[in-house]
Amino acid sequence: MGALVPKKPRSPSSAATARAPIAIGFVSLGCSKNLVDLQVMAAELHQGGFDIGVEVDEADAVIVNTCAFIEDAREEAVSAILGACELKKNGRCKAVVVSGCLSQRYRERILKACPDVDAVIGVDDLRRIPEIVSKALDHPRGEPVVAVSSDLPTHLFASKIPAMVLTGGPYAYLKIAEGCQHVCAFCAIPGIRGKLRSRTIDDVVAEAKAILAEGIRELDIIAQDVTSYGSDLKDGTSLAKLLRRLDALKGDFWIRLLYGYPAMVTDELLDVIASSRHVCRYLDIPVQHSHPDILRAMHRADTLKHVPGMASRLRARIPGLTLRTTCLVGFPGETQAHFDHLLEYAGREKFDHLGAFAFSPEEGTGAFARREEADDIVAENRRRKLMRRQARIVKSLLDAKVGTVTRVLLEAPPEEDGRWEGRTEGQAPDDIDGVTYVAGVPASARPGDFADVEITGHGDYDLFAEWRSMSGASS
Ligand code: SF4
């Protein structure tokens, strides 16, 4: 994701200012969890009387919300920061503020590599953004403002109502927890975002109600691992309980679960999904690998008995389930035999969606000391091979959908070819899984409407469909 212009703020402006408000531009990078943090900052700025509806080249201050997950993400972030700093030389911009995982983790390096940056802000300090932007603008040539209150974040943001949704579509991300309780040997997230902190069910439900009242038709439940939700609270809070409460809300909408952990998927959770009215028959559960040696080396030994046969087990519990997973190849010590095991596993399990990543050594992780054992070229070749195998699986799964009738959430009206863009229950937003292009939709349709469509064909990952009827409320 790149430069982001909030279209229509969903929260009211409370501060009337005599002079023109300070204009803020956003560059949004990284995952949906990062976008939620940006929404928190945008809401604070809007409430503080700042103008948040401008392009970056029309902004007085630019906020670059960064990702630091892997080396590629850090490079993208530094290039976006340098691009924003150029605007200070050639445009209206007077201050560049860097937020997100990169500023939390590598603030000194950012300030050294990008001396024109005016402020860095940590992930515990998001709500201070109006004050930080004002300070950065007041001292354009002074020392940069460093607002990183803790090396390991501990804060948990309760909902602010009305909520601000910046996805640009009829869906919203609902972040139910911060941090992560696992210690996967390749992952820097627990060191950047801290330990698991879950919001209360009441707080999440209040935010969900406010978002649905704005006309949003899909709630995407996110966290580093949604299936661990509540385990830190020690009061019986769980994802299954949260889903029951959300499922009881009125209206016609979908709930989608993203990012689970194989060992944390309980029978109770599967029963709730199978019997719910609103929860999509969709799960995203990264297995990362199939071979026991590699799972142990990844510090994911607790998933050993959950990974084999996972897809068939889950599909038996939830008929019609769409299953996404993620695999990491080229982990230090991964032999050809380990990789062949993973290839066979993917061929057997036939995940509907599979993303493959090549190992990237991350400072502060268990695997960093073993980085010499990893070979970038071998890892990249294995990643491509796994994705080629998956492409064949996807083709046969999509072939089988042709001729079926399914429900689609209409998202974007036609531009040139007359087809609406929408998504089925099996397609998560933000181009994660592909989309469905629907022909023949009546002119009265609006983004956020549900329609029943017949699948007529497919591309590599997208579906093509013909409109049949508008789809009534399911609640
Ligand atoms: S579960 Fe996910 S976020 Fe947590 S440590 Fe493992 S890979 Fe990282």
Side-chain angles (χ1 to χ4, degrees):
M1 191 179 287
L4 184 149
V5 182
K7 285 193 192 103
K8 237 181 171 210
R10 291 173 187 271
S11 56
S13 177
S14 63
T17 48
R19 54 200 170 104
I22 295 164
I24 308 291
F26 297 102
V27 179
S28 176
L29 302 170
C31 64
S32 51
K33 287 147 289 197
N34 225 26
L35 177 65
V36 171
D37 289 352
L38 192 139
Q39 289 176 175
V40 170
M41 289 191 285
E44 290 294 337
L45 289 161
H46 184 55
Q47 293 267 306
F50 292 77
D51 176 3
I52 58 166
V54 300
E55 299 280 351
V56 286
D57 53 4
E58 298 164 350
D60 299 308
V62 174
I63 297 172
V64 185
N65 197 37
T66 59
C67 171
F69 188 48
I70 52 173
E71 184 60 30
D72 285 355
R74 288 194 292 274
E75 281 171 12
E76 184 188 18
V78 169
S79 138
I81 294 166
L82 292 172
C85 291
E86 279 300 300
L87 293 170
K88 279 174 66 178
K89 290 182 195 143
N90 309 319
R92 170 174 167 169
C93 177
K94 291 174 206 64
V96 172
V97 177
V98 183
S99 60
C101 290
L102 196 71
S103 61
Q104 174 66 38
R105 182 81 188 248
Y106 298 110
R107 54 192 178 271
E108 286 88 7
R109 290 190 212 174
I110 295 173
L111 294 172
K112 203 166 168 204
C114 313
D116 288 328
V117 165
D118 300 280
V120 287
I121 181 165
V123 300
D124 267 359
D125 304 272
L126 301 180
R127 292 220 191 274
R128 292 176 59 204
I129 189 72
E131 166 209 334
I132 304 304
V133 169
S134 299
K135 278 188 183 164
L137 283 165
D138 280 349
H139 305 283
R141 291 179 199 285
E143 284 294 300
V145 182
V146 177
V148 184
S149 58
S150 46
D151 281 337
L152 201 58
T154 55
H155 201 79
L156 181 61
F157 293 107
S159 63
K160 255 207 162 178
I161 295 173
M164 180 169 283
V165 177
L166 298 180
T167 59
Y171 62 94
Y173 292 108
L174 203 51
K175 184 154 64 162
I176 60 173
E178 292 285 350
C180 186
Q181 67 170 0
H182 304 293
V183 285
C184 303
F186 53 83
C187 181
I189 292 294
I192 299 175
R193 292 271 170 176
K195 289 209 181 316
L196 175 71
R197 288 100 69 200
S198 301
R199 294 170 59 188
T200 65
I201 289 181
D202 283 346
D203 185 44
V204 176
V205 171
E207 185 178 0
K209 275 186 184 165
I211 289 173
L212 292 172
E214 294 285 329
I216 290 295
R217 308 302 287 275
E218 177 176 321
L219 299 173
D220 291 290
I221 309 288
I222 57 169
Q224 300 301 338
D225 160 20
V226 292
T227 47
S228 291
Y229 169 73
S231 57
D232 55 313
L233 296 178
K234 315 268 183 242
D235 63 355
T237 297
S238 68
L239 182 59
K241 288 199 172 83
L242 171 65
L243 289 182
R244 278 200 197 95
R245 287 275 305 276
L246 292 174
D247 198 44
L249 296 178
K250 288 197 169 56
D252 191 9
F253 63 94
W254 281 344
I255 300 168
R256 184 185 302 280
L257 300 177
L258 297 169
Y259 324 128
Y261 189 80
M264 304 299 289
V265 179
T266 62
D267 286 345
E268 187 189 9
L269 175 62
L270 297 176
D271 288 344
V272 171
I273 297 171
S275 62
S276 75
R277 294 176 302 166
H278 299 288
V279 183
C280 294
R281 274 67 178 159
Y282 179 102
L283 279 171
D284 175 0
I285 305 179
V287 292
Q288 306 300 359
H289 211 282
S290 63
H291 198 287
D293 292 351
I294 301 299
L295 287 172
R296 279 193 202 95
M298 286 177 165
H299 298 168
R300 291 172 68 97
D302 56 347
T303 70
L304 278 176
K305 66 175 191 288
H306 304 273
V307 169
M310 187 176 89
S312 33
R313 250 193 338 273
L314 294 178
R315 284 179 179 134
R317 295 292 299 262
I318 307 176
L321 178 73
T322 297
L323 196 54
R324 158 169 280 280
T325 200
T326 308
C327 298
L328 181 65
V329 296
F331 189 82
E334 184 194 59
T335 62
Q336 184 62 41
H338 292 138
F339 176 65
D340 289 343
H341 189 277
L342 178 60
L343 265 187
E344 279 167 33
Y345 173 79
R348 250 190 339 268
E349 298 288 313
K350 296 190 174 29
F351 291 96
D352 299 271
H353 309 287
L354 181 148
F357 294 89
F359 173 75
S360 158
E362 297 303 317
E363 277 176 65
T365 64
F368 190 66
R370 296 182 64 191
R371 62 193 180 283
E372 302 302 331
E373 295 171 56
D375 183 324
D376 293 353
I377 295 170
V378 169
E380 180 53 23
N381 286 339
R382 287 179 182 170
R383 189 191 70 76
R384 286 187 192 168
K385 190 163 183 187
L386 181 55
M387 289 313 290
R388 280 198 299 274
R389 167 73 58 96
Q390 178 64 16
R392 291 202 293 276
I393 292 168
V394 168
K395 182 180 179 318
S396 69
L397 292 173
L398 295 185
D399 281 347
K401 290 188 192 299
V402 175
T404 61
V405 173
T406 189
R407 199 167 195 239
V408 159
L409 174 60
L410 296 173
E411 293 203 295
E415 286 186 358
E416 280 157 22
D417 63 358
R419 292 187 293 192
W420 273 73
E421 197 177 300
R423 287 182 293 109
T424 66
E425 202 177 347
Q427 292 171 322
D430 280 343
D431 285 333
I432 295 178
D433 300 324
V435 297
T436 301
Y437 293 102
V438 187
V441 178
S444 58
R446 295 285 170 267
D449 285 347
F450 285 105
D452 289 325
V453 305
E454 182 177 336
I455 305 299
T456 52
H458 64 82
D460 288 346
Y461 295 99
D462 297 327
L463 290 166
F464 302 110
E466 194 74 42
W467 180 83
R468 286 287 169 262
S469 61
M470 296 319 284
S471 176
S474 67
S475 61

